[in-house]
Amino acid sequence: MDKLVSDLRPLDILAEAVPPDGSASGISVTRVQGALGLQLSAAAPHAISFPASRIFVRCDLFPEEFSIVVTLKPPILPPKKNEYLFSVVAEGPDALLLGLRYSPARLHFLFLREDAAGAWQTRVSFRSPALMDSQWHTLVLAVSEDSFSLTMDCGVPVDITADVPFPATLSMQGARFFIGSRRRTKGLFTGLVRQLVLLPGSDAAAQLCPCRNADIVLSIPPVLQGLTGRPADNEVLTYPYETNMKVTLGPQPPCTKVEDAQFWFDAGRKGLYLCVGSEWVSVLAAKEKLDYVEEYQSLHTNSETLGLEVFVIPEAGLFMATAHRKTTSAIYKWVDRKFITYQDFPTQQAQSWRHFTIGRKVFLAVANFDPNEKGQEFSVIYKWSQRKQRFTPYQRVPTHSARDWEAFEVAGEHFLAVANHREGDNHNINSVIYKWNPTTRLFEPNQTIATCGAYDWEFFTVGPYSFLVVANAFNGTSTKVQSHLYVWLLGSFQLFQSFLTCGAADWEVFRIGDRVFLAVANSHSYDVEMQVQNDSYVINSVIYELNVSAQMFVKFQEITTCSALDWEFFSVGEDYFLVVANSFDGNTFLVNSIIYRWQGYEGFVAVHSLPTFGCRDWEAFRTAAGSYLVYSSAKEPLSRVLRLRTG
């Protein structure tokens, strides 16, 4: 049966409804941007319809697996308005069996699901803001049981797993197809449609891609097959019939020898690119804007993940190291636009990783919190083997419940600072700064700094000055302790400034123009002499700004957070953002982490609220395919990669 279904021909729904000469009342053929399309809105709903029995001849059941291919130029709709691309309606009770509906920035697939409890309408919605650009687009909707996938213009598919699967036995007996409507005058499609095809049994995207937006064709009605004609004289934009230069529109196409010296115009971002070799080179700068955030990949790990480190090794690729609570941590590699498992490491409740280089040597240091089975406490530095294409153990470093490593360079010399959290029950211990010895090729102790439950180190420079700030979290009796900023003077770090923090878990330094900021993530307000309150986790984290005249950091903004454990700064185009890892509100670990956007005089303003569970760490990264965020959970063995959709 599967073989029969997969071999079925494409069913041209549009051609079934429209006469070959396009003579149906109210239907007009219009050429826009060089492509012919049908304008249906002037026709009565019944005029563009046909009985389902015309295409379902041998079996009246709708395919269980299928693709719907539609090429359209959507209209610009006001909010809350919906228009139907097509529908399948039962003749008697006027029940909607199946339909594809368009609303501003969304595409909805509807179907009727029946079981012993009754029948109900199910809707699967895809967010598609790119449809609002007044351009031709080809959409491929692939359906298989509870899996729904939408591919637009041969781009990256958007996959949804629905709670309700598509029915295996949806009867078309007595049903009728309506094109551009739902059998009623309300909801008539006012845009242009060029292609509407049902392909049983397979994902049509594999057959169609890659191709240009209006040229992605399985089948079009005869009345639209005159594409080679010249455009109308009154068209403002001349289509390239009179030139050899080819400009591709839509999402980023491949850049190969075939496309060499051709242009690609990204209408959404208003960017013009030229294919040179295998890369698209910007000719006209595009201004990116963060539109929304979508889930891209669920990364199942062998245990809860306490820290992430994303890094690039030249000629090897993009990697992400994950610090797991259990005895094995891992590295993942970015392959085919997703992370896959690459290498495992024995660790002892690893807290974080730090990637760094010394010359051409590539290192990765892990901070181990627990001792090994022999009671030995140490963290490990690994070195990348170019021959093995793997990290191999390089140096063991004695540590005490290590939380974090920070790697940096001062005056041409390389250093590693470890945040020692506690030794036994004593949180007031020394953290250590190690210095690279080029003779022994090992890290050796260089300076100790007294810390209180140290959680994080952050290094940065301002002009000729080098700074190192520590996040102190607990002194044995209280989380309200001083975290300290040190400056490099005369060969060592000297105290420069102190900040009162509450269970400080992270510092993030960032720059906006000439301004320098420091953000601290405060996790918990606790004192042994006071009774613990649930709201002690919902406290303010603070952003400081460097005041050059006063030669100190001053408070710039306070932001209410829920046991914040990390800040991550990133930019999209000309906009700047901070995302916070909110982990616990005193009652639940299921709390939203927030993206804040820089708005000048207003400071950082919340713009996106992201559902997270025990969020521990955020990392931002960029590939040729786009920009991403990834977060780890300290409460479940699952990390999530989110894609930043830009417009």
Side-chain angles (χ1 to χ4, degrees):
M1 179 65 183
D2 291 341
K3 179 70 167 62
L4 290 174
V5 170
S6 63
D7 287 344
L8 289 177
R9 62 180 176 84
L11 303 174
D12 193 334
I13 298 173
L14 196 57
E16 291 289 343
V18 178
D21 59 357
S23 59
S25 176
I27 297 178
S28 60
V29 178
T30 304
R31 184 190 299 278
V32 176
Q33 297 161 3
L36 295 174
L38 294 176
Q39 180 80 54
L40 309 174
S41 56
H46 278 84
I48 319 175
S49 68
F50 63 91
S53 59
R54 189 183 297 175
I55 58 175
F56 294 103
V57 179
R58 298 181 181 177
C59 175
D60 61 9
L61 295 181
F62 200 88
E64 186 177 357
E65 295 184 351
F66 59 91
S67 291
I68 295 172
V69 182
V70 56
T71 299
L72 74 164
K73 183 180 179 297
I76 303 298
L77 298 180
K80 298 184 179 179
K81 185 173 182 181
N82 292 272
E83 296 185 353
Y84 281 86
L85 290 164
F86 84 94
S87 61
V88 183
V89 180
E91 285 288 301
D94 192 31
L96 181 68
L97 302 178
L98 193 77
L100 198 60
R101 194 173 74 195
Y102 167 71
S103 65
R106 289 185 183 273
L107 192 75
H108 311 278
F109 178 62
L110 305 98
F111 59 89
L112 189 70
R113 177 76 187 187
E114 294 183 280
D115 60 16
W120 65 93
Q121 200 78 58
T122 299
R123 182 179 69 187
V124 179
S125 297
F126 295 88
R127 185 174 173 86
S128 301
L131 290 176
M132 303 291 287
D133 62 1
S134 299
Q135 302 294 319
W136 284 104
H137 294 287
T138 295
L139 311 176
V140 178
L141 174 67
V143 178
S144 177
E145 298 182 344
D146 61 349
S147 176
F148 300 81
S149 176
L150 181 68
T151 302
M152 185 169 78
D153 300 330
C154 290
V156 178
V158 177
D159 299 319
I160 293 178
T161 301
D163 296 332
V164 179
F166 188 81
T169 56
L170 181 61
S171 175
M172 295 287 102
Q173 188 171 7
R176 194 171 186 88
F177 277 80
F178 291 85
I179 313 304
S181 77
R182 189 229 182 279
R183 193 181 179 178
R184 305 166 181 167
T185 54
K186 184 179 179 181
L188 292 177
F189 183 65
T190 58
L192 298 178
V193 61
R194 174 170 167 77
Q195 175 178 214
L196 183 57
V197 175
L198 171 65
L199 180 64
S202 67
D203 185 350
Q207 300 184 30
L208 296 170
C209 297
C211 198
R212 275 179 40 213
N213 304 7
D215 291 349
I216 305 175
V217 171
L218 271 180
S219 178
I220 60 174
V223 69
L224 299 181
Q225 292 178 7
L227 182 61
T228 56
R230 293 178 61 84
D233 292 338
N234 62 352
E235 281 200 10
V236 175
L237 178 62
T238 302
Y239 198 70
Y241 293 97
E242 304 165 25
T243 176
N244 293 324
M245 184 182 76
K246 180 178 178 181
V247 179
T248 302
L249 300 177
Q252 181 174 326
C255 177
T256 65
K257 291 182 179 179
V258 177
E259 293 82 16
D260 192 42
Q262 295 181 5
F263 287 93
W264 161 53
F265 182 68
D266 188 338
R269 296 168 52 197
K270 295 181 175 60
L272 182 64
Y273 302 85
L274 176 67
C275 180
V276 179
S278 60
E279 295 184 2
W280 289 105
V281 178
S282 175
V283 178
L284 177 65
K287 292 185 178 180
E288 284 186 310
K289 290 282 186 180
L290 177 59
D291 189 1
Y292 62 96
V293 181
E294 66 180 4
E295 185 170 344
Y296 184 79
Q297 182 186 3
S298 295
L299 194 64
H300 295 273
T301 53
N302 62 20
S303 76
E304 303 90 337
T305 301
L306 303 177
L308 303 169
E309 178 80 343
V310 177
F311 57 94
V312 173
I313 299 177
E315 300 179 3
L318 175 75
F319 298 86
M320 179 173 68
T322 56
H324 295 164
R325 188 184 298 278
K326 290 185 178 178
T327 55
T328 301
S329 293
I331 287 180
Y332 296 83
K333 185 176 181 180
W334 187 260
V335 178
D336 294 332
R337 298 186 178 185
K338 64 179 181 294
F339 283 113
I340 62 171
T341 304
Y342 188 77
Q343 184 178 357
D344 290 334
F345 300 85
T347 53
Q348 309 298 326
Q349 197 176 153
Q351 301 291 300
S352 63
W353 289 92
R354 183 67 63 211
H355 160 264
F356 61 97
T357 60
I358 299 177
R360 299 178 63 181
K361 301 180 184 68
V362 179
F363 295 94
L364 196 60
V366 63
N368 284 324
F369 192 77
D370 284 347
N372 63 9
E373 62 279 357
K374 298 179 181 179
Q376 300 168 318
E377 272 196 278
F378 58 85
S379 295
V380 182
I381 301 170
Y382 295 86
K383 181 176 177 290
W384 176 257
S385 169
Q386 189 66 34
R387 182 177 62 85
K388 297 180 180 179
Q389 293 286 291
R390 289 290 187 274
F391 281 97
T392 58
Y394 186 79
Q395 183 181 354
R396 285 187 176 186
V397 181
T399 54
H400 300 290
S401 298
R403 289 280 192 185
D404 179 60
W405 285 106
E406 180 72 342
F408 53 92
E409 183 179 349
V410 178
E413 296 185 303
H414 296 271
F415 297 86
L416 266 180
V418 63
N420 285 326
H421 187 69
R422 60 177 168 82
E423 187 173 2
D425 293 329
N426 182 19
H427 290 78
N428 301 298
I429 60 174
N430 288 334
S431 290
V432 184
I433 300 173
Y434 295 87
K435 180 179 176 182
W436 174 258
N437 186 327
T439 303
T440 63
R441 297 184 181 181
L442 294 173
F443 282 97
E444 300 171 352
N446 183 72
Q447 183 180 357
T448 58
I449 295 179
T451 53
C452 306
Y455 227 99
D456 178 61
W457 284 108
E458 182 83 352
F459 174 83
F460 61 97
T461 60
V462 179
Y465 299 101
S466 297
F467 294 91
L468 190 63
V469 61
V470 65
N472 285 325
F474 186 56
N475 64 6
T477 60
S478 176
T479 61
K480 296 181 180 179
V481 296
Q482 298 285 337
S483 290
H484 301 296
L485 173 65
Y486 300 89
V487 63
W488 180 267
L489 290 173
L490 303 175
S492 66
F493 284 100
Q494 308 294 326
L495 182 63
F496 180 79
Q497 186 178 350
S498 298
F499 307 87
L500 181 62
T501 54
C502 294
D506 178 66
W507 284 102
E508 179 82 352
V509 64
F510 56 93
R511 291 169 170 82
I512 299 177
D514 296 330
R515 303 168 71 174
V516 182
F517 296 89
L518 263 179
V520 63
N522 286 324
S523 66
H524 188 197
S525 178
Y526 168 80
D527 193 299
V528 293
E529 296 181 358
M530 61 177 280
Q531 187 175 359
V532 176
Q533 302 292 328
N534 283 348
D535 60 3
S536 62
Y537 295 94
V538 182
I539 57 177
N540 285 340
S541 292
V542 184
I543 301 172
Y544 298 90
E545 182 181 4
L546 177 63
N547 185 318
V548 177
S549 300
Q551 296 188 4
M552 64 183 298
F553 281 89
V554 296
K555 188 178 294 184
F556 172 78
Q557 184 178 358
E558 290 185 305
I559 296 177
T560 301
T561 53
C562 301
S563 191
L565 296 178
D566 182 54
W567 284 107
E568 180 76 2
F569 177 78
F570 63 97
S571 62
V572 176
E574 297 178 354
D575 293 327
Y576 302 97
F577 299 89
L578 272 175
V579 59
V580 65
N582 284 328
S583 65
F584 184 61
D585 65 1
N587 297 300
T588 178
F589 294 100
L590 190 62
V591 293
N592 288 340
S593 293
I594 310 297
I595 295 178
Y596 300 87
R597 182 176 62 209
W598 171 255
Q599 294 190 182
Y601 182 75
E602 299 175 76
F604 284 92
V605 177
V607 289
H608 295 283
S609 184
L610 310 176
T612 54
F613 183 66
C615 187
R616 178 62 184 86
D617 194 17
W618 283 101
E619 283 279 283
F621 66 98
R622 178 184 289 269
T623 73
S627 298
Y628 303 84
L629 288 172
V630 56
Y631 86 85
S632 67
S633 171
K635 293 299 174 182
E636 63 176 346
L638 181 67
S639 294
R640 297 183 189 273
V641 182
L642 310 179
R643 184 167 185 176
L644 305 180
R645 284 293 189 179
T646 57

